[in-house]
């Protein structure tokens, strides 16, 4: 069945937006040593340049998903692109590390609006038989952004400084705004006004809990850090209990308690991103500090992983429309876990070909996990729940990315203290990296269970 011009336009706008967000994330990772040098940041504060974006995105994903179901997903998507672009421009003019972190936080809110509503727009615009394919294309755009980010970010940083990354992102955002308002269209129908009830009280526990967990991890081994992390965990538990009893919840806990396919697929996504996101963060520092590569050279090496993701995600999505996705996703998760163990044993003299080979392996594993897993999540709910499902999946991704950064930050804080990365001796840095990757591999192994035991998609019902 051929796609209409409207469908192709919708796919293009969502894919471009997906590309823009991940391009910026991956290019900023390469620029971290330059940002550290300009603002004189220690290792833990430097990690907040990445973490602040993830934190705000995670904090707003769930309420945005529910609000999109009630008021219209296309409308929220458009304004998310606007906010993301304006925040990118502000980042380019940041006068200190503090303001860069603040503007990155604002940027993450815009990211929450687009990443929650994008997949929901796609699955509402295409038939169930084409979902795996279009989601695979959207995921491929994500990975193309990840692929181009390190190379372009390294080139721009070396040629014009790290601020040029945000200039390019702002220009790209302007084009995306124009495309979204021209081609995305309007929401055809939303919930009646009298039914637009939503209880936001529990969301406060969710936001405070995430903030306490992330900030607490940066204060380890200070006792206050452990206290904040414990308090954050309790706040998240309170959020779950509150939402379970609410008549108009932001987060529908019954999707997890009564839908095994949805619950296990989301948990698999959470675990996978928790285990894999910090790879680029750690290897960017490793290649520039330990291997003494320039930003452009480091970016050229790191491109190997997302290139494999971009090449094979559409194929994996297409394949997941024909075979049960859990087999593909479980294979991908297993490949990722094996690769993480191998990363733990990199040394000062590890050859470039070995690093590239591991990145290729890891990228292939992630491609076979991500598209089939997203296809399962979106195919396990009714059409009226697409916004919530998309928001939940995006939340699992971003919270997982945040957990990954928390793990890396914990080892930095434990072993480095208040030192800057360029002041840390190579053996100590390698020790922190080794412990982080071993921890990630253990997390990944746990995810294989949820991925394989999620159950089967019944496409005839969907």
């Amino acid at each position: 069945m051929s796609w209409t011009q409207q469908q192709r336009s919708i796919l293009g706008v969502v894919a471009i937006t997906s590309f823009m967000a991940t391009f910026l994330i991956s290019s900023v990772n390469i620029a971290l040593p330059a940002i550290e040098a300009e603002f004189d940041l220690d290792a833990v504060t430097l990690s907040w340049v990445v973490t602040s974006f993830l934190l705000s995105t995670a904090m707003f994903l769930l309420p945005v998903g529910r609000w999109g179901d009630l008021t219209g997903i296309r409308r929220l998507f458009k304004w998310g692109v606007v906010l993301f672009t304006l925040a990118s421009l502000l980042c380019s003019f940041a006068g200190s590390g503090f303001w860069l972190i603040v503007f990155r936080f604002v940027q993450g809110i815009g990211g929450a609006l687009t990443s929650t509503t994008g997949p929901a727009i796609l699955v509402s615009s295409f038939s169930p038989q084409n979902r795996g394919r279009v989601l695979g294309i959207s995921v491929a755009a994500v990975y193309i952004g990840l692929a181009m980010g390190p190379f372009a970010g390294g080139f721009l940083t070396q040629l014009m400084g790290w601020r040029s990354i945000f200039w390019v992102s702002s220009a790209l955002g302007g084009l995306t705004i124009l495309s979204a308002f021209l081609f995305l269209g309007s929401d055809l129908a939303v919930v009646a006004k009298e039914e637009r009830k939503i209880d936001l009280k529990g969301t406060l526990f969710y936001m405070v809990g995430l903030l306490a967990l992330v900030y607490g991890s940066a204060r380890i081994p200070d006792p206050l850090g452990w206290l904040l992390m414990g308090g954050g965990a309790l706040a998240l538990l309170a959020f779950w209990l509150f939402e379970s009893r609410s008549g108009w919840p932001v987060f529908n806990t019954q999707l997890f308690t009564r839908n095994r396919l949805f619950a296990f697929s989301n948990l698999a996504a959470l675990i996978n991103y928790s285990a894999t996101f910090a790879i680029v963060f750690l290897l960017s520092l490793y290649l520039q500090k330990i291997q003494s590569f320039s930003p452009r050279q480091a970016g050229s090496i790191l491109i190997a992983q997302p290139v494999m993701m971009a090449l094979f995600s559409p194929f994996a999505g297409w394949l997941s429309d024909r075979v049960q996705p859990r087999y593909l996703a479980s294979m991908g998760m297993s490949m990722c876990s094996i690769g993480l163990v191998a990363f733990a044993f990199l040394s000062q003299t590890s050859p470039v070909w070995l690093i590239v080979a591991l990145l290729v392996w890891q990228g292939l594993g992630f491609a076979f996990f991500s598209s089939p897993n997203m296809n399962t999540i979106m195919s396990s709910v009714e059409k009226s729940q697409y916004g919530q499902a998309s928001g939940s999946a995006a939340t699992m991704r971003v919270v997982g990315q945040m957990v990954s950064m928390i793990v890396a930050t914990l080892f930095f804080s434990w072993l480095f203290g208040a030192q800057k990365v360029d002041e840390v001796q190579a053996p100590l840095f390698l020790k922190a990296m080794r412990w982080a990757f071993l921890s990630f591999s253990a997390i990944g192994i746990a995810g294989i269970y949820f991925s394989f035991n999620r159950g089967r998609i019944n496409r005839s019902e969907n």
Side-chain angles (χ1 to χ4, degrees):
M1 179 179 178
S2 60
W3 295 342
T4 65
Q5 180 62 43
Q6 176 72 6
Q7 286 178 317
R8 287 193 291 269
S9 298
I10 289 172
L11 177 58
V13 170
V14 174
I16 291 170
T17 308
S18 300
F19 166 87
M20 181 176 67
T22 54
F23 170 84
L24 188 58
I25 290 173
S26 59
S27 57
V28 167
N29 273 323
I30 285 294
L32 288 174
I35 294 172
E36 176 193 43
E38 178 169 338
F39 293 140
D40 194 29
L41 305 177
D42 59 55
V44 174
T45 305
L46 182 66
S47 70
W48 274 92
V49 175
V50 178
T51 305
S52 60
F53 177 89
L54 299 175
L55 175 61
S56 61
T57 302
M59 289 171 67
F60 286 89
L61 278 172
L62 286 180
V64 165
R66 178 58 175 157
W67 190 246
D69 283 335
L70 298 179
T71 64
I73 52 180
R74 287 170 171 79
R75 175 170 164 267
L76 289 184
F77 182 90
K78 293 172 184 176
W79 290 113
V81 176
V82 171
L83 183 59
F84 186 93
T85 302
L86 290 176
S88 298
L89 187 61
L90 290 172
C91 286
S92 70
F93 294 105
S96 67
F98 170 79
W99 283 111
L100 178 60
I101 291 170
V102 169
F103 295 145
R104 289 280 285 164
F105 186 90
V106 175
Q107 194 178 52
I109 300 174
L113 292 170
T114 57
S115 60
T116 300
T117 53
I121 291 171
L122 288 181
V123 296
S124 65
S125 303
F126 290 85
S127 66
Q129 291 74 25
N130 287 294
R131 280 181 193 158
R133 185 179 176 188
V134 297
L135 288 171
I137 293 172
S138 178
V139 170
V142 170
Y143 296 149
I144 291 171
L146 289 173
M148 291 186 64
F151 179 78
F155 179 81
L156 289 170
T157 299
Q158 199 163 325
L159 189 66
M160 295 184 289
W162 63 268
R163 295 176 190 273
S164 61
I165 294 173
F166 293 101
W167 299 337
V168 171
S169 297
S170 301
L172 183 59
L175 294 175
T176 308
I177 291 171
L178 183 62
S179 300
F181 279 87
L182 281 177
F183 301 116
L184 196 57
S186 302
D187 295 286
L188 298 178
V190 294
V191 176
K193 191 171 183 179
E194 61 272 13
E195 298 178 11
R196 295 181 191 176
K197 295 180 179 179
I198 182 171
D199 192 342
L200 294 173
K201 298 185 185 71
T203 307
L204 181 62
F205 288 104
Y206 172 73
M207 291 182 170
V208 170
L210 286 180
L211 181 61
L213 278 173
V214 175
Y215 184 69
S217 71
R219 296 296 299 269
I220 299 298
D222 190 322
L224 177 62
W226 294 111
L227 183 63
L228 285 170
M229 292 188 71
L234 290 175
L236 292 178
L237 176 60
F239 164 72
W240 178 275
L241 295 175
F242 194 98
E243 294 297 293
S244 299
R245 298 170 183 172
S246 175
W248 303 284
V250 169
F251 178 66
N252 187 358
T253 58
Q254 291 186 1
L255 283 176
F256 280 84
T257 58
R258 298 184 181 180
N259 188 336
R260 177 190 177 98
L261 188 62
F262 179 85
F264 275 36
S265 297
N266 273 276
L267 287 172
L270 173 66
I271 292 171
N272 185 266
Y273 282 101
S274 297
T276 59
F277 179 74
I279 291 175
V280 174
F281 172 75
L282 292 171
L283 290 185
S284 173
L285 297 175
Y286 163 79
L287 290 170
Q288 294 179 69
K289 173 181 172 57
I290 305 301
Q291 296 275 17
S292 299
F293 288 115
S294 68
R296 184 169 59 181
Q297 290 171 325
S300 299
I301 294 171
L302 291 173
I303 199 175
Q305 176 178 315
V307 161
M308 296 302 293
M309 297 176 183
L311 288 175
F312 284 92
S313 287
F315 172 71
W318 172 83
L319 198 58
S320 71
D321 286 330
R322 287 154 178 78
V323 300
Q324 284 298 317
R326 64 171 179 155
Y327 299 123
L328 301 173
S330 300
M331 179 184 72
M333 181 78 83
S334 300
M335 294 176 66
C336 288
S337 298
I338 294 170
L340 288 165
V341 174
F343 279 126
F345 295 96
L346 292 178
S347 67
Q348 289 180 265
T349 58
S350 295
V352 173
W353 68 263
L354 175 61
I355 300 170
V356 171
L358 292 177
L359 288 168
V360 166
W361 172 268
Q362 198 74 16
L364 187 61
F366 201 83
F368 275 98
F369 171 81
S370 188
S371 294
N373 195 69
M374 190 63 183
N375 189 7
T376 304
I377 291 173
M378 299 306 295
S379 298
S380 65
V381 298
E382 299 175 359
K383 189 172 184 177
S384 62
Q385 298 171 320
Y386 282 166
Q388 293 178 72
S390 179
S392 176
T395 300
M396 294 302 109
R397 182 185 71 247
V398 177
V399 171
Q401 291 171 339
M402 201 165 57
V403 169
S404 196
M405 288 300 299
I406 287 174
V407 172
T409 302
L410 279 172
F411 287 110
F412 278 15
S413 180
W414 173 40
L415 294 173
F416 300 168
Q419 294 184 82
K420 294 189 292 185
V421 173
D422 61 2
E423 296 174 349
V424 176
Q425 296 296 313
L428 187 60
F429 180 88
L430 289 171
K431 180 180 180 180
M433 192 174 77
R434 182 174 300 112
W435 278 108
F437 277 125
L438 289 175
S439 300
F440 293 146
S441 64
I443 293 170
I445 291 171
I448 298 172
Y449 169 82
F450 292 102
S451 181
F452 189 77
N453 290 285
R454 72 183 74 193
R456 299 170 57 86
I457 287 180
N458 189 335
R459 292 189 173 91
S460 60
E461 287 184 6
N462 190 272

